[in-house]
Amino acid sequence: MTDDALVQAAVDARAHAWAPYSGFAVGAALLCADGTVYTGCNVENVTFGLTTCAEQVAILKAVSEGRRTFTKVAVVTPSHPPAAPCGLCRQMMVEFAADLEVLICSPEGVVERTTLAALLPRAFRPADLEDTSA
Ligand code: THU
């Protein structure tokens, strides 16, 4: 799977975004270690708080289909410069993919390559649950 193909999958998913309240359509494409790709778009709700981000949809689809190892995600947003995944999405992704590569994209292609580790330093991880003696 080339980066261009992964970005195209995110662009295609973005076309399904339900974003009538923000007008901010997002597409995500998550590459699994076995080469499969799961996509997502944001799905808004009139109550606002029930809105689900594109990256969350992709992660939930992948995990619910038995995938737990991910190598790369492409996220396409309409802003200039394109937006990085929100904090909630970062935490959702770090649960399964601390070493994830993140492609921050406009609809035309990759604008920035980074990592989840750079976007979410000192993430809350399972080790944080270990010693609760304090
Ligand atoms: N959104 C995402 O889909 N992913 C992010 O990482 C940031 C925000 C969506 C949620 C909402 O539908 C719209 O973008 C504006 O916040």
Side-chain angles (χ1 to χ4, degrees):
M1 163 73 55
T2 64
D3 285 355
D4 282 352
L6 193 67
V7 174
Q8 188 58 51
V11 167
D12 292 347
R14 184 171 174 262
H16 301 299
W18 175 246
Y21 308 107
S22 71
F24 193 86
V26 183
L30 184 65
L31 180 62
C32 306
D34 67 3
T36 54
V37 173
Y38 286 86
T39 61
C41 62
N42 50 334
V43 182
E44 297 187 348
N45 187 274
V46 65
T47 63
F48 296 178
L50 282 178
T51 291
T52 305
C53 289
E55 301 92 318
Q56 292 171 54
V57 172
I59 278 271
L60 294 173
K61 282 168 69 177
V63 174
S64 65
E65 300 271 332
R67 268 67 184 203
R68 292 182 183 166
T69 313
F70 310 111
T71 56
K72 204 179 287 190
V73 68
V75 182
V76 176
T77 60
S79 45
H80 297 285
C86 79
L88 194 156
C89 290
R90 295 177 198 194
Q91 185 66 35
M92 291 259 318
M93 293 190 289
V94 83
E95 180 76 15
F96 297 98
D99 297 325
L100 195 68
E101 249 185 279
V102 181
L103 307 182
I104 297 174
C105 311
S106 74
E108 287 73 44
V110 179
V111 171
E112 186 185 341
R113 289 165 195 278
T114 185
T115 61
L116 189 54
L119 292 173
L120 190 63
R122 208 171 187 277
F124 190 75
R125 301 283 292 155
D128 291 305
L129 297 175
E130 271 165 25
D131 184 351
T132 57
S133 56

